[in-house]
Amino acid sequence: MTQLERIGVSLDKKLLSMFDKLIGEQGYQSRSEAIRDLVRRQLSEERLGDPQAKAVAAVFLVYDHHATKLTKSLIELQHTHMTSATIQVISSLHVHLDKHDCLEVIVLKGRVSEINHVAERILSMKGVKLGRVNVVAT
Ligand code: NI
């Protein structure tokens, strides 16, 4: 079991009241849980600055499946990285949005530098209409 240590934090009243309002809206049950998440998030973001840090990422993209070359390139790229030592495609999700557009979520696991490199390659492919990458250091 994780050992807990209690700390005391001094905040001015206005700042604390704004913090309480925010975490209330977000659904937190306690200040401690909200502060723990803030600390974890900050530490994770700090680690993203290290290209060698281990991370996972979700690459979201919307594209027209009639761009057949893109579909082929996406599949090829994912198969290539299935067994790579430095980065892996661990999962993907495909949703047919309407008659033309598809949403694909590709989950990558590996070093930060490799993830950024592969994500940029995916998002810069011709035919990608919208794209976004969400990286979290693990
Ligand atoms: Ni589709």
Side-chain angles (χ1 to χ4, degrees):
M1 195 181 143
T2 317
Q3 262 198 329
L4 291 180
E5 196 161 330
R6 284 184 160 272
I7 56 165
V9 179
S10 304
L11 294 175
D12 72 64
K13 270 191 173 178
K14 196 177 168 201
L15 187 60
L16 183 59
S17 136
M18 286 163 67
F19 183 67
D20 283 343
K21 185 170 177 281
L22 176 72
I23 66 174
E25 287 166 1
Q26 290 177 336
Y28 280 102
Q29 300 297 310
S30 75
R31 285 177 182 154
S32 290
E33 192 51 44
I35 290 169
R36 278 193 287 271
D37 280 2
L38 273 178
V39 172
R40 280 192 208 103
R41 194 181 313 150
Q42 191 63 41
L43 290 171
S44 173
E45 277 174 22
E46 186 65 29
R47 284 200 301 275
L48 287 181
D50 173 7
Q52 291 306 309
K54 287 180 182 173
V56 288
V59 183
F60 297 81
L61 57 148
V62 173
Y63 64 95
D64 187 330
H65 74 267
H66 294 106
T68 47
K69 218 177 155 194
L70 172 68
T71 310
K72 194 167 171 262
S73 305
L74 275 174
I75 292 170
E76 266 178 21
L77 183 135
Q78 292 184 65
H79 278 273
T80 305
H81 290 289
M82 274 308 285
T83 54
S84 162
T86 50
I87 184 164
Q88 295 161 306
V89 174
I90 51 176
S91 186
S92 68
L93 167 75
H94 185 99
V95 181
H96 312 299
L97 292 177
D98 57 31
K99 205 171 176 189
H100 303 283
D101 287 340
C102 302
L103 165 72
E104 193 135 329
V105 183
I106 301 170
V107 182
L108 305 170
K109 182 183 178 188
R111 306 283 176 193
V112 168
S113 58
E114 283 290 305
I115 283 177
N116 288 336
H117 176 68
V118 171
E120 279 165 13
R121 269 185 57 199
I122 293 171
L123 297 183
S124 65
M125 284 178 176
K126 197 174 175 220
V128 174
K129 290 180 173 179
L130 291 166
R132 180 181 292 251
V133 188
N134 219 332
V135 191
V136 177
T138 51

